[in-house]
Amino acid sequence: MQNLVTKHQFIRKLDLGSLEIFILICQMGSIGGAAKKSHLAISSVSKRVNELEKLTRSKLLTRKSKGVEPTEAGLCLLKHAKDILLSIEYLRINLDDFFLGKNEYVHIYASASVVEQSLAQEIASFAKDSPEVSIDLSQAPSREVIQAVREGYADIGICDSSEIYSDLASRAYRKEELVLIVPTNHPLASHKKLAFSQALDYDLIGVYGSSMIQQLLEKAASSSGHILRQRIKVSSLSALCRMVESGLGIGVIPYGAIHLLSKKGSFCTISLTDEWSKRELMLFAKSFDMLTPAAARFSNYLSH
């Protein structure tokens, strides 16, 4: 059995410049074209490819009549090379921020429900008053938001409070009401309010993944002895609104998101009488007292 290259050997021998040139070769489909664009001799570019093939112990390029194209191993390297160089670019930008005096960061994880409502405006307002602070925002399902806080990837997590997390500190962020939206010509359109069970005879637009709203709807349907009729699933609340506007089904979204995600009168809004439709969004942290000064200021801004 051949010995594999160790992690440390691979890191020490992998040249970032060679990765950049390999990406260029794949984009141009030609070693000569990549050499010309990078202002290097063809022999120098070929040497870098040979060094990559020696390190990876794989043939990375196949010669064709009009140039070269990546092999399966080459495609694998190409994908990871792009990711590596993108991370390097983020590193460069972040270090430039330190040089320019923007040396405070706040890492936030928030659920889609939070992101697609007023969080953007709140971040913009905070950033205007605190230009030295950079905000890193990631959207994720509520369970991943909580996990990110626990594992230290997020200074602050923002999501619903449907479960008790005894290992985390929490603060009230805002209250949220879930409402039913239906096309203007739908049989339910004349209702001002109703129980969610009354909507289960109609096709609902679902949301992919472990969306907390999706989980609430599935639990509510199961409790009333129904299953959700979902012909269409989408990846965001804005896409859900577009589907309802087109008459493809009905859906449940936060009331606060309606004016941001749709035009007035594009569908009808119906209040839900179910207890679960009223919920509280919370800020979560390992300890608010232990937050960085920038994260503490942002947390206080959101909770007041």
Side-chain angles (χ1 to χ4, degrees):
M1 181 177 176
Q2 295 181 335
N3 292 327
L4 297 175
V5 178
T6 67
K7 179 180 73 173
H8 296 298
Q9 290 173 330
F10 193 83
I11 290 172
R12 289 166 184 166
K13 293 182 179 180
L14 184 63
D15 183 77
L16 296 177
S18 295
L19 291 182
E20 186 175 38
I21 289 173
F22 183 76
I23 292 172
L24 190 57
I25 292 171
C26 294
Q27 290 173 341
M28 304 286 293
S30 163
I31 290 177
K36 184 177 180 179
K37 190 161 185 177
S38 58
H39 306 290
L40 294 172
I42 292 178
S43 59
S44 178
V45 172
S46 296
K47 181 180 179 182
R48 286 177 178 265
V49 173
N50 290 335
E51 289 172 348
L52 284 172
E53 289 184 330
K54 183 178 179 181
L55 177 61
T56 60
R57 294 182 294 182
S58 302
K59 186 174 178 61
L60 301 174
L61 297 171
T62 299
R63 294 189 178 277
K64 298 293 183 180
S65 57
K66 294 185 178 180
V68 296
E69 65 179 33
T71 62
E72 287 297 317
L75 288 172
C76 178
L77 177 62
L78 177 63
K79 176 186 180 301
H80 288 288
K82 289 179 177 179
D83 290 340
I84 290 169
L85 293 186
L86 181 61
S87 294
I88 293 296
E89 178 62 8
Y90 282 135
L91 173 61
R92 183 190 67 80
I93 292 171
N94 288 345
L95 292 177
D96 281 349
D97 285 344
F98 278 94
F99 175 74
L100 295 171
K102 295 181 178 180
N103 53 4
E104 293 187 280
Y105 279 82
V106 182
H107 302 279
I108 307 165
Y109 270 63
S111 65
S113 177
V114 172
V115 172
E116 298 202 54
Q117 294 190 67
S118 58
L119 185 60
Q121 292 95 321
E122 290 169 329
I123 290 176
S125 179
F126 177 82
K128 184 178 180 180
D129 294 333
S130 304
E132 75 285 357
V133 178
S134 295
I135 303 290
D136 180 12
L137 172 64
S138 297
Q139 179 176 309
S142 295
R143 289 180 181 176
E144 292 182 21
V145 170
I146 295 300
Q147 197 62 24
V149 175
R150 283 177 174 152
E151 295 179 359
Y153 294 111
D155 299 311
I156 301 167
I158 315 174
C159 60
D160 71 282
S161 58
S162 58
E163 295 183 34
I164 297 174
Y165 306 104
S166 58
D167 57 327
L168 298 178
S170 63
R171 288 179 179 174
Y173 171 51
R174 63 172 62 242
K175 294 186 183 300
E176 180 180 74
E177 179 186 0
L178 300 178
V179 296
L180 184 71
I181 57 173
V182 304
T184 54
N185 60 351
H186 194 272
L188 296 176
S190 60
H191 289 262
K192 296 296 182 183
K193 60 182 179 180
L194 49 72
F196 180 64
S197 59
Q198 294 175 258
L200 290 173
D201 289 331
Y202 302 95
D203 289 328
L204 278 95
I205 309 298
V207 180
Y208 279 118
S210 55
S211 159
M212 186 55 66
I213 294 178
Q214 178 74 12
Q215 292 179 38
L216 284 172
L217 300 187
E218 290 173 353
K219 184 177 180 180
S222 177
S223 297
S224 61
H226 292 76
I227 60 171
L228 290 179
R229 293 174 49 178
Q230 295 181 319
R231 288 190 308 151
I232 300 174
K233 282 190 175 183
V234 295
S235 59
S236 68
L237 297 179
S238 57
L240 188 154
C241 289
R242 301 292 84 76
M243 296 299 107
V244 173
E245 289 171 356
S246 299
L248 294 173
I250 63 179
V252 173
I253 68 170
Y255 180 77
I258 291 177
H259 72 284
L260 297 173
L261 301 178
S262 65
K263 297 178 182 178
K264 187 175 181 180
S266 57
F267 48 66
C268 295
T269 303
I270 303 169
S271 296
L272 292 170
T273 58
D274 305 80
E275 185 178 342
W276 53 261
S277 66
K278 314 298 188 294
R279 59 184 193 161
E280 189 162 18
L281 301 176
M282 305 290 289
L283 305 179
F284 293 97
K286 285 186 176 180
S287 168
F288 287 103
D289 293 334
M290 298 298 290
L291 289 174
T292 64
R297 292 201 305 275
F298 187 67
S299 171
N300 291 335
Y301 178 82
L302 291 180
S303 58
H304 287 91

